[in-house]
Amino acid sequence: MSWPRRLFLLNAARLAAASSALLHAAPSNAAGYPFSLGVASGSPLPDGVILWTRVAPDPLDATKSPSLALTLRWEVAHDGAFRNIAAKGSAVATPELAHSVRVDVRGLQPARWYWYRFMLGDAVSPVGRTRTAPAPDSMPDSLKLAVASCQHWEFGSYAAHRYIEQANPDLISLLRCILLPKP
């Protein structure tokens, strides 16, 4: 069996396994699980962070997304069980922005971990973890950074992400890549 065929079969098996896992992990509802693309955070400041999600019941078929604005609720907590809420609010996901939401959360404490989630109806997003930046007048004893760059998912899994998570960095920088067509 040649390498391209092996890679194709390996990637097909991975895709089938991932699809099966997603189908079993997502809550069942008629419209599909709205947070299939997960959540993200970034742009940390000493008193805040930016949170992001996108309502996409089927990210490969935009026609399955509703053509009306949706109001999402969000929460930021001091603990992963959400017993001690630090901030909460709502945000509107509009079709014009592909139902993506960007929330600028302020009023948080510097240099501390927070947990966050989004809700739409009874559906709850995966829980994300984020951290605010140190206070401007402070000097941390150490600062652990991780940098991630371009990815081409068709060519393999990214074990480096597992190691980044295990390293528990204070900051992860994601570099954008622009893929240009071959001349």
Side-chain angles (χ1 to χ4, degrees), residues 15-29 32-33 36 57-58 64:
L15 183 59
S19 299
S20 174
L22 284 174
L23 287 174
H24 295 294
S28 66
N29 60 27
Y33 181 61
S36 61
D58 184 350
K64 292 189 179 173

Side-chain angles (χ1 to χ4, degrees), residues 79-119:
D79 61 303
F82 289 84
R83 288 187 202 99
N84 188 2
I85 303 296
K88 64 182 178 176
S90 63
V92 177
T94 63
E96 294 79 18
L97 295 175
H99 291 98
S100 65
V101 171
R102 182 180 176 270
V103 177
D104 187 355
V105 181
R106 295 299 176 105
L108 304 176
Q109 298 168 353
R112 107 175 277 296
W113 290 104
Y114 288 94
W115 287 259
Y116 64 95
R117 66 184 175 188
F118 290 88
M119 289 131 328

Side-chain angles (χ1 to χ4, degrees), residues 140-157:
D141 292 336
S142 67
L143 184 63
K144 198 183 302 184
L145 305 175
V147 177
S149 186
C150 296
Q151 300 174 24
H152 205 285
W153 66 270
E154 293 96 339
F155 292 119
S157 60

Side-chain angles (χ1 to χ4, degrees), residues 152-173:
H152 205 285
W153 66 270
E154 293 96 339
F155 292 119
S157 60
Y158 292 89
H161 291 176
R162 184 177 327 115
Y163 296 111
I164 289 173
E165 180 183 15
Q166 289 172 357
N168 198 21
D170 297 303
L171 178 70
I172 301 172
S173 177

